[in-house]
PDB file of all heavy atoms in Angstrom:
ATOM      1  N   LEU E 215       0.826  -1.214   0.000  1.00 95.00           N
ATOM      2  CA  LEU E 215       0.000   0.000   0.000  1.00 95.00           C
ATOM      3  C   LEU E 215       0.858   1.262   0.000  1.00 95.00           C
ATOM      4  O   LEU E 215       0.591   2.215  -0.744  1.00 95.00           O
ATOM      5  CB  LEU E 215      -0.927   0.001   1.213  1.00 95.00           C
ATOM      6  CG  LEU E 215      -2.036  -1.050   1.233  1.00 95.00           C
ATOM      7  CD1 LEU E 215      -2.764  -1.032   2.578  1.00 95.00           C
ATOM      8  CD2 LEU E 215      -3.026  -0.807   0.093  1.00 95.00           C
ATOM      9  N   LEU E 216       1.897   1.276   0.826  1.00 94.00           N
ATOM     10  CA  LEU E 216       2.738   2.471   0.935  1.00 94.00           C
ATOM     11  C   LEU E 216       3.661   2.635  -0.275  1.00 94.00           C
ATOM     12  O   LEU E 216       4.051   3.759  -0.608  1.00 94.00           O
ATOM     13  CB  LEU E 216       3.544   2.424   2.234  1.00 94.00           C
ATOM     14  CG  LEU E 216       2.692   2.584   3.502  1.00 94.00           C
ATOM     15  CD1 LEU E 216       3.511   2.285   4.746  1.00 94.00           C
ATOM     16  CD2 LEU E 216       2.097   3.984   3.588  1.00 94.00           C
ATOM     17  N   SER E 217       3.997   1.530  -0.934  1.00 91.00           N
ATOM     18  CA  SER E 217       4.780   1.621  -2.171  1.00 91.00           C
ATOM     19  C   SER E 217       3.954   2.303  -3.262  1.00 91.00           C
ATOM     20  O   SER E 217       4.452   3.184  -3.978  1.00 91.00           O
ATOM     21  CB  SER E 217       5.214   0.231  -2.640  1.00 91.00           C
ATOM     22  OG  SER E 217       6.108  -0.348  -1.716  1.00 91.00           O
ATOM     23  N   ILE E 218       2.708   1.902  -3.383  1.00 92.00           N
ATOM     24  CA  ILE E 218       1.800   2.546  -4.339  1.00 92.00           C
ATOM     25  C   ILE E 218       1.611   4.013  -3.969  1.00 92.00           C
ATOM     26  O   ILE E 218       1.691   4.910  -4.813  1.00 92.00           O
ATOM     27  CB  ILE E 218       0.433   1.828  -4.371  1.00 92.00           C
ATOM     28  CG1 ILE E 218       0.591   0.401  -4.907  1.00 92.00           C
ATOM     29  CG2 ILE E 218      -0.581   2.609  -5.204  1.00 92.00           C
ATOM     30  CD1 ILE E 218      -0.641  -0.458  -4.740  1.00 92.00           C
ATOM     31  N   ASN E 219       1.389   4.257  -2.691  1.00 92.00           N
ATOM     32  CA  ASN E 219       1.111   5.607  -2.206  1.00 92.00           C
ATOM     33  C   ASN E 219       2.269   6.572  -2.478  1.00 92.00           C
ATOM     34  O   ASN E 219       2.072   7.690  -2.960  1.00 92.00           O
ATOM     35  CB  ASN E 219       0.832   5.547  -0.705  1.00 92.00           C
ATOM     36  CG  ASN E 219       0.351   6.865  -0.139  1.00 92.00           C
ATOM     37  OD1 ASN E 219      -0.632   7.426  -0.612  1.00 92.00           O
ATOM     38  ND2 ASN E 219       1.050   7.366   0.856  1.00 92.00           N
ATOM     39  N   SER E 220       3.496   6.127  -2.189  1.00 88.00           N
ATOM     40  CA  SER E 220       4.649   7.015  -2.356  1.00 88.00           C
ATOM     41  C   SER E 220       4.919   7.329  -3.822  1.00 88.00           C
ATOM     42  O   SER E 220       5.309   8.448  -4.163  1.00 88.00           O
ATOM     43  CB  SER E 220       5.896   6.399  -1.711  1.00 88.00           C
ATOM     44  OG  SER E 220       6.285   5.223  -2.397  1.00 88.00           O
ATOM     45  N   THR E 221       4.694   6.351  -4.702  1.00 88.00           N
ATOM     46  CA  THR E 221       4.971   6.581  -6.113  1.00 88.00           C
ATOM     47  C   THR E 221       3.853   7.362  -6.803  1.00 88.00           C
ATOM     48  O   THR E 221       4.079   7.952  -7.865  1.00 88.00           O
ATOM     49  CB  THR E 221       5.203   5.252  -6.861  1.00 88.00           C
ATOM     50  OG1 THR E 221       4.175   4.320  -6.521  1.00 88.00           O
ATOM     51  CG2 THR E 221       6.542   4.661  -6.493  1.00 88.00           C
ATOM     52  N   ILE E 222       2.674   7.399  -6.210  1.00 88.00           N
ATOM     53  CA  ILE E 222       1.616   8.249  -6.739  1.00 88.00           C
ATOM     54  C   ILE E 222       1.861   9.705  -6.334  1.00 88.00           C
ATOM     55  O   ILE E 222       1.667  10.628  -7.117  1.00 88.00           O
ATOM     56  CB  ILE E 222       0.226   7.768  -6.258  1.00 88.00           C
ATOM     57  CG1 ILE E 222      -0.193   6.519  -7.057  1.00 88.00           C
ATOM     58  CG2 ILE E 222      -0.819   8.863  -6.388  1.00 88.00           C
ATOM     59  CD1 ILE E 222      -1.507   5.926  -6.657  1.00 88.00           C
ATOM     60  N   GLY E 223       2.348   9.912  -5.119  1.00 89.00           N
ATOM     61  CA  GLY E 223       2.613  11.268  -4.648  1.00 89.00           C
ATOM     62  C   GLY E 223       3.922  11.849  -5.150  1.00 89.00           C
ATOM     63  O   GLY E 223       4.058  13.072  -5.277  1.00 89.00           O
ATOM     64  N   GLY E 224       4.900  10.991  -5.467  1.00 88.00           N
ATOM     65  CA  GLY E 224       6.235  11.451  -5.850  1.00 88.00           C
ATOM     66  C   GLY E 224       6.284  12.351  -7.081  1.00 88.00           C
ATOM     67  O   GLY E 224       6.873  13.441  -7.043  1.00 88.00           O
ATOM     68  N   PRO E 225       5.683  11.938  -8.215  1.00 90.00           N
ATOM     69  CA  PRO E 225       5.714  12.804  -9.407  1.00 90.00           C
ATOM     70  C   PRO E 225       5.070  14.167  -9.169  1.00 90.00           C
ATOM     71  O   PRO E 225       5.544  15.179  -9.697  1.00 90.00           O
ATOM     72  CB  PRO E 225       4.927  11.987 -10.443  1.00 90.00           C
ATOM     73  CG  PRO E 225       5.105  10.568 -10.019  1.00 90.00           C
ATOM     74  CD  PRO E 225       5.102  10.613  -8.517  1.00 90.00           C
ATOM     75  N   ALA E 226       4.002  14.205  -8.381  1.00 91.00           N
ATOM     76  CA  ALA E 226       3.343  15.481  -8.077  1.00 91.00           C
ATOM     77  C   ALA E 226       4.282  16.400  -7.313  1.00 91.00           C
ATOM     78  O   ALA E 226       4.369  17.604  -7.586  1.00 91.00           O
ATOM     79  CB  ALA E 226       2.071  15.230  -7.268  1.00 91.00           C
ATOM     80  N   ARG E 227       5.022  15.828  -6.369  1.00 90.00           N
ATOM     81  CA  ARG E 227       5.959  16.625  -5.567  1.00 90.00           C
ATOM     82  C   ARG E 227       7.084  17.189  -6.441  1.00 90.00           C
ATOM     83  O   ARG E 227       7.444  18.363  -6.328  1.00 90.00           O
ATOM     84  CB  ARG E 227       6.543  15.748  -4.452  1.00 90.00           C
ATOM     85  CG  ARG E 227       7.336  16.509  -3.406  1.00 90.00           C
ATOM     86  CD  ARG E 227       7.875  15.556  -2.355  1.00 90.00           C
ATOM     87  NE  ARG E 227       6.823  14.941  -1.563  1.00 90.00           N
ATOM     88  CZ  ARG E 227       6.218  15.525  -0.540  1.00 90.00           C
ATOM     89  NH1 ARG E 227       6.554  16.755  -0.189  1.00 90.00           N
ATOM     90  NH2 ARG E 227       5.283  14.881   0.140  1.00 90.00           N
ATOM     91  N   SER E 228       7.634  16.359  -7.318  1.00 88.00           N
ATOM     92  CA  SER E 228       8.713  16.814  -8.199  1.00 88.00           C
ATOM     93  C   SER E 228       8.225  17.861  -9.194  1.00 88.00           C
ATOM     94  O   SER E 228       8.874  18.887  -9.410  1.00 88.00           O
ATOM     95  CB  SER E 228       9.315  15.627  -8.958  1.00 88.00           C
ATOM     96  OG  SER E 228       9.921  14.711  -8.068  1.00 88.00           O
ATOM     97  N   ALA E 229       7.063  17.597  -9.804  1.00 89.00           N
ATOM     98  CA  ALA E 229       6.533  18.525 -10.804  1.00 89.00           C
ATOM     99  C   ALA E 229       6.128  19.857 -10.166  1.00 89.00           C
ATOM    100  O   ALA E 229       6.233  20.912 -10.807  1.00 89.00           O
ATOM    101  CB  ALA E 229       5.333  17.894 -11.511  1.00 89.00           C
ATOM    102  N   LEU E 230       5.673  19.824  -8.923  1.00 91.00           N
ATOM    103  CA  LEU E 230       5.232  21.040  -8.240  1.00 91.00           C
ATOM    104  C   LEU E 230       6.386  22.014  -8.013  1.00 91.00           C
ATOM    105  O   LEU E 230       6.187  23.235  -8.015  1.00 91.00           O
ATOM    106  CB  LEU E 230       4.575  20.677  -6.905  1.00 91.00           C
ATOM    107  CG  LEU E 230       4.052  21.835  -6.040  1.00 91.00           C
ATOM    108  CD1 LEU E 230       2.996  22.635  -6.792  1.00 91.00           C
ATOM    109  CD2 LEU E 230       3.504  21.299  -4.718  1.00 91.00           C
ATOM    110  N   THR E 231       7.591  21.487  -7.826  1.00 90.00           N
ATOM    111  CA  THR E 231       8.753  22.350  -7.573  1.00 90.00           C
ATOM    112  C   THR E 231       8.886  23.424  -8.648  1.00 90.00           C
ATOM    113  O   THR E 231       9.134  24.590  -8.353  1.00 90.00           O
ATOM    114  CB  THR E 231      10.045  21.511  -7.504  1.00 90.00           C
ATOM    115  OG1 THR E 231       9.911  20.510  -6.495  1.00 90.00           O
ATOM    116  CG2 THR E 231      11.245  22.386  -7.174  1.00 90.00           C
ATOM    117  N   ALA E 232       8.708  23.016  -9.913  1.00 87.00           N
ATOM    118  CA  ALA E 232       8.851  23.963 -11.032  1.00 87.00           C
ATOM    119  C   ALA E 232       7.755  25.017 -11.037  1.00 87.00           C
ATOM    120  O   ALA E 232       7.910  26.073 -11.662  1.00 87.00           O
ATOM    121  CB  ALA E 232       8.866  23.207 -12.352  1.00 87.00           C
ATOM    122  N   ASN E 233       6.628  24.739 -10.372  1.00 88.00           N
ATOM    123  CA  ASN E 233       5.544  25.714 -10.294  1.00 88.00           C
ATOM    124  C   ASN E 233       5.780  26.775  -9.228  1.00 88.00           C
ATOM    125  O   ASN E 233       5.133  27.820  -9.239  1.00 88.00           O
ATOM    126  CB  ASN E 233       4.209  25.013  -9.978  1.00 88.00           C
ATOM    127  CG  ASN E 233       3.766  24.071 -11.074  1.00 88.00           C
ATOM    128  OD1 ASN E 233       3.463  22.919 -10.815  1.00 88.00           O
ATOM    129  ND2 ASN E 233       3.728  24.547 -12.308  1.00 88.00           N
ATOM    130  N   LEU E 234       6.693  26.512  -8.307  1.00 91.00           N
ATOM    131  CA  LEU E 234       6.837  27.378  -7.139  1.00 91.00           C
ATOM    132  C   LEU E 234       8.038  28.305  -7.188  1.00 91.00           C
ATOM    133  O   LEU E 234       8.097  29.278  -6.436  1.00 91.00           O
ATOM    134  CB  LEU E 234       6.920  26.526  -5.863  1.00 91.00           C
ATOM    135  CG  LEU E 234       5.735  25.607  -5.572  1.00 91.00           C
ATOM    136  CD1 LEU E 234       5.969  24.854  -4.266  1.00 91.00           C
ATOM    137  CD2 LEU E 234       4.435  26.381  -5.508  1.00 91.00           C
ATOM    138  N   VAL E 235       9.019  28.004  -8.036  1.00 89.00           N
ATOM    139  CA  VAL E 235      10.236  28.832  -8.073  1.00 89.00           C
ATOM    140  C   VAL E 235      10.474  29.348  -9.494  1.00 89.00           C
ATOM    141  O   VAL E 235      10.080  28.700 -10.466  1.00 89.00           O
ATOM    142  CB  VAL E 235      11.481  28.045  -7.589  1.00 89.00           C
ATOM    143  CG1 VAL E 235      11.304  27.593  -6.153  1.00 89.00           C
ATOM    144  CG2 VAL E 235      11.762  26.862  -8.492  1.00 89.00           C
ATOM    145  N   PRO E 236      11.131  30.502  -9.630  1.00 86.00           N
ATOM    146  CA  PRO E 236      11.465  30.997 -10.970  1.00 86.00           C
ATOM    147  C   PRO E 236      12.391  30.018 -11.687  1.00 86.00           C
ATOM    148  O   PRO E 236      13.148  29.279 -11.055  1.00 86.00           O
ATOM    149  CB  PRO E 236      12.193  32.322 -10.683  1.00 86.00           C
ATOM    150  CG  PRO E 236      11.800  32.703  -9.304  1.00 86.00           C
ATOM    151  CD  PRO E 236      11.555  31.431  -8.567  1.00 86.00           C
ATOM    152  N   LYS E 237      12.338  30.035 -13.008  1.00 83.00           N
ATOM    153  CA  LYS E 237      13.117  29.103 -13.824  1.00 83.00           C
ATOM    154  C   LYS E 237      14.607  29.160 -13.492  1.00 83.00           C
ATOM    155  O   LYS E 237      15.274  28.125 -13.405  1.00 83.00           O
ATOM    156  CB  LYS E 237      12.887  29.412 -15.298  1.00 83.00           C
ATOM    157  CG  LYS E 237      13.506  28.415 -16.264  1.00 83.00           C
ATOM    158  CD  LYS E 237      13.156  28.766 -17.695  1.00 83.00           C
ATOM    159  CE  LYS E 237      13.773  27.770 -18.672  1.00 83.00           C
ATOM    160  NZ  LYS E 237      13.446  28.110 -20.083  1.00 83.00           N
ATOM    161  N   LYS E 238      15.126  30.371 -13.266  1.00 82.00           N
ATOM    162  CA  LYS E 238      16.568  30.510 -13.029  1.00 82.00           C
ATOM    163  C   LYS E 238      16.998  29.942 -11.677  1.00 82.00           C
ATOM    164  O   LYS E 238      18.187  29.696 -11.444  1.00 82.00           O
ATOM    165  CB  LYS E 238      16.983  31.972 -13.126  1.00 82.00           C
ATOM    166  CG  LYS E 238      16.439  32.867 -12.022  1.00 82.00           C
ATOM    167  CD  LYS E 238      16.958  34.286 -12.169  1.00 82.00           C
ATOM    168  CE  LYS E 238      16.458  35.185 -11.037  1.00 82.00           C
ATOM    169  NZ  LYS E 238      17.002  36.559 -11.158  1.00 82.00           N
ATOM    170  N   LEU E 239      16.032  29.710 -10.772  1.00 85.00           N
ATOM    171  CA  LEU E 239      16.354  29.166  -9.451  1.00 85.00           C
ATOM    172  C   LEU E 239      15.981  27.690  -9.323  1.00 85.00           C
ATOM    173  O   LEU E 239      16.196  27.091  -8.268  1.00 85.00           O
ATOM    174  CB  LEU E 239      15.632  29.961  -8.351  1.00 85.00           C
ATOM    175  CG  LEU E 239      16.012  31.436  -8.195  1.00 85.00           C
ATOM    176  CD1 LEU E 239      15.185  32.083  -7.094  1.00 85.00           C
ATOM    177  CD2 LEU E 239      17.498  31.587  -7.899  1.00 85.00           C
ATOM    178  N   LEU E 240      15.431  27.106 -10.397  1.00 86.00           N
ATOM    179  CA  LEU E 240      14.927  25.735 -10.289  1.00 86.00           C
ATOM    180  C   LEU E 240      16.030  24.744  -9.937  1.00 86.00           C
ATOM    181  O   LEU E 240      15.832  23.848  -9.114  1.00 86.00           O
ATOM    182  CB  LEU E 240      14.244  25.314 -11.595  1.00 86.00           C
ATOM    183  CG  LEU E 240      13.668  23.891 -11.594  1.00 86.00           C
ATOM    184  CD1 LEU E 240      12.618  23.721 -10.499  1.00 86.00           C
ATOM    185  CD2 LEU E 240      13.065  23.547 -12.951  1.00 86.00           C
ATOM    186  N   ILE E 241      17.204  24.888 -10.552  1.00 84.00           N
ATOM    187  CA  ILE E 241      18.276  23.929 -10.287  1.00 84.00           C
ATOM    188  C   ILE E 241      18.701  23.973  -8.818  1.00 84.00           C
ATOM    189  O   ILE E 241      19.048  22.956  -8.218  1.00 84.00           O
ATOM    190  CB  ILE E 241      19.480  24.156 -11.222  1.00 84.00           C
ATOM    191  CG1 ILE E 241      20.426  22.943 -11.155  1.00 84.00           C
ATOM    192  CG2 ILE E 241      20.215  25.438 -10.900  1.00 84.00           C
ATOM    193  CD1 ILE E 241      21.440  22.916 -12.265  1.00 84.00           C
ATOM    194  N   ASN E 242      18.625  25.160  -8.196  1.00 85.00           N
ATOM    195  CA  ASN E 242      18.946  25.275  -6.771  1.00 85.00           C
ATOM    196  C   ASN E 242      17.875  24.611  -5.913  1.00 85.00           C
ATOM    197  O   ASN E 242      18.175  24.010  -4.881  1.00 85.00           O
ATOM    198  CB  ASN E 242      19.105  26.743  -6.382  1.00 85.00           C
ATOM    199  CG  ASN E 242      20.284  27.397  -7.067  1.00 85.00           C
ATOM    200  OD1 ASN E 242      21.243  26.717  -7.443  1.00 85.00           O
ATOM    201  ND2 ASN E 242      20.226  28.695  -7.263  1.00 85.00           N
ATOM    202  N   ALA E 243      16.627  24.727  -6.350  1.00 88.00           N
ATOM    203  CA  ALA E 243      15.537  24.072  -5.628  1.00 88.00           C
ATOM    204  C   ALA E 243      15.674  22.551  -5.706  1.00 88.00           C
ATOM    205  O   ALA E 243      15.479  21.842  -4.715  1.00 88.00           O
ATOM    206  CB  ALA E 243      14.193  24.515  -6.198  1.00 88.00           C
ATOM    207  N   VAL E 244      16.017  22.043  -6.890  1.00 87.00           N
ATOM    208  CA  VAL E 244      16.232  20.593  -7.057  1.00 87.00           C
ATOM    209  C   VAL E 244      17.423  20.145  -6.218  1.00 87.00           C
ATOM    210  O   VAL E 244      17.409  19.059  -5.618  1.00 87.00           O
ATOM    211  CB  VAL E 244      16.421  20.226  -8.540  1.00 87.00           C
ATOM    212  CG1 VAL E 244      16.750  18.743  -8.690  1.00 87.00           C
ATOM    213  CG2 VAL E 244      15.173  20.562  -9.339  1.00 87.00           C
ATOM    214  N   ALA E 245      18.470  20.987  -6.146  1.00 85.00           N
ATOM    215  CA  ALA E 245      19.637  20.671  -5.305  1.00 85.00           C
ATOM    216  C   ALA E 245      19.224  20.562  -3.840  1.00 85.00           C
ATOM    217  O   ALA E 245      19.667  19.656  -3.126  1.00 85.00           O
ATOM    218  CB  ALA E 245      20.712  21.745  -5.472  1.00 85.00           C
ATOM    219  N   ALA E 246      18.379  21.484  -3.389  1.00 86.00           N
ATOM    220  CA  ALA E 246      17.894  21.433  -2.005  1.00 86.00           C
ATOM    221  C   ALA E 246      17.067  20.173  -1.774  1.00 86.00           C
ATOM    222  O   ALA E 246      17.154  19.538  -0.716  1.00 86.00           O
ATOM    223  CB  ALA E 246      17.070  22.679  -1.687  1.00 86.00           C
ATOM    224  N   ASN E 247      16.262  19.785  -2.777  1.00 85.00           N
ATOM    225  CA  ASN E 247      15.460  18.561  -2.661  1.00 85.00           C
ATOM    226  C   ASN E 247      16.357  17.327  -2.553  1.00 85.00           C
ATOM    227  O   ASN E 247      16.095  16.412  -1.755  1.00 85.00           O
ATOM    228  CB  ASN E 247      14.544  18.409  -3.878  1.00 85.00           C
ATOM    229  CG  ASN E 247      13.485  19.493  -3.952  1.00 85.00           C
ATOM    230  OD1 ASN E 247      13.253  20.214  -2.981  1.00 85.00           O
ATOM    231  ND2 ASN E 247      12.852  19.627  -5.100  1.00 85.00           N
ATOM    232  N   THR E 248      17.425  17.288  -3.368  1.00 83.00           N
ATOM    233  CA  THR E 248      18.354  16.163  -3.334  1.00 83.00           C
ATOM    234  C   THR E 248      19.063  16.085  -1.986  1.00 83.00           C
ATOM    235  O   THR E 248      19.212  14.999  -1.407  1.00 83.00           O
ATOM    236  CB  THR E 248      19.402  16.298  -4.459  1.00 83.00           C
ATOM    237  OG1 THR E 248      18.731  16.411  -5.718  1.00 83.00           O
ATOM    238  CG2 THR E 248      20.325  15.093  -4.500  1.00 83.00           C
ATOM    239  N   ALA E 249      19.492  17.246  -1.484  1.00 83.00           N
ATOM    240  CA  ALA E 249      20.142  17.278  -0.174  1.00 83.00           C
ATOM    241  C   ALA E 249      19.190  16.798   0.917  1.00 83.00           C
ATOM    242  O   ALA E 249      19.594  16.097   1.853  1.00 83.00           O
ATOM    243  CB  ALA E 249      20.621  18.697   0.140  1.00 83.00           C
TER     244      ALA E 249
END
């Protein structure tokens, strides 16, 4: 159940990042996510 749940929520979380920060700062936001 939790494997299904995490993979359904994961793409939304990643895609949402680009909606919240300016394009020029996106790579820094992804870096923060990776950290």
Side-chain angles (χ1 to χ4, degrees):
L215 292 173
L216 291 170
S217 295
I218 295 169
N219 188 55
S220 66
T221 48
I222 284 178
R227 190 180 294 279
S228 296
L230 180 60
T231 303
N233 296 128
L234 301 181
V235 299
K237 187 177 180 181
K238 68 177 182 178
L239 296 178
L240 180 60
I241 194 166
N242 295 334
V244 176
N247 294 346
T248 304

